[in-house]
Amino acid sequence: MTMDRQHWIDKLYEQIKAEVPITRAAYGNSLHGWDIEPIMLGDEAIGVYIRRGHETHMSLSKKNALRHARHVIRVYLTANLERLGYLVTRTDGNAADDRFLKRLGYYETGKEGSWTLYRLDKLNIK
């Protein structure tokens, strides 16, 4: 499945627009310099994985999040962790996201404004 970068930016924007006060254009500009990769399960795109350097984020559609999270973690996080040695991410203080990251093996490294910063050196899943 080949779709252009803008398609994936639009998909990401649709997921966050109700919660984040940002225009589509500004959101697209904020992703300048990020690698954007569809998360594939067979022929179906079930989400998007973005990375810039060691910083990574992933977004799965709500219907796919729980059912396929382990697959996504194994395929995308494991490969990038092995290649880069460590990964970092950030959350906006959402307690559920923070708990999820800690279960995976991320640990808090600090705060930056309203963001909580995390680092992953080793995954806690098999």
Side-chain angles (χ1 to χ4, degrees), residues 4 12-13 17-18 23 26-28 44 46 50 77 81 83 93 96 98 108 113 126:
D4 69 1
L12 284 167
Y13 180 76
K17 71 180 181 182
T23 66
Y27 185 68
E44 181 186 6
I46 62 169
I50 64 173
L77 286 184
L81 184 59
R83 187 170 59 79
D98 294 337
E108 188 175 328
K126 302 275 186 228

Side-chain angles (χ1 to χ4, degrees), residues 23-52:
T23 66
R24 185 180 302 269
Y27 185 68
N29 289 338
S30 75
L31 291 174
H32 180 73
W34 288 82
D35 294 327
I36 300 175
E37 180 180 354
I39 296 172
M40 303 299 293
L41 188 64
D43 292 336
E44 181 186 6
I46 62 169
V48 181
Y49 182 83
I50 64 173
R51 182 183 59 79
R52 180 173 61 190

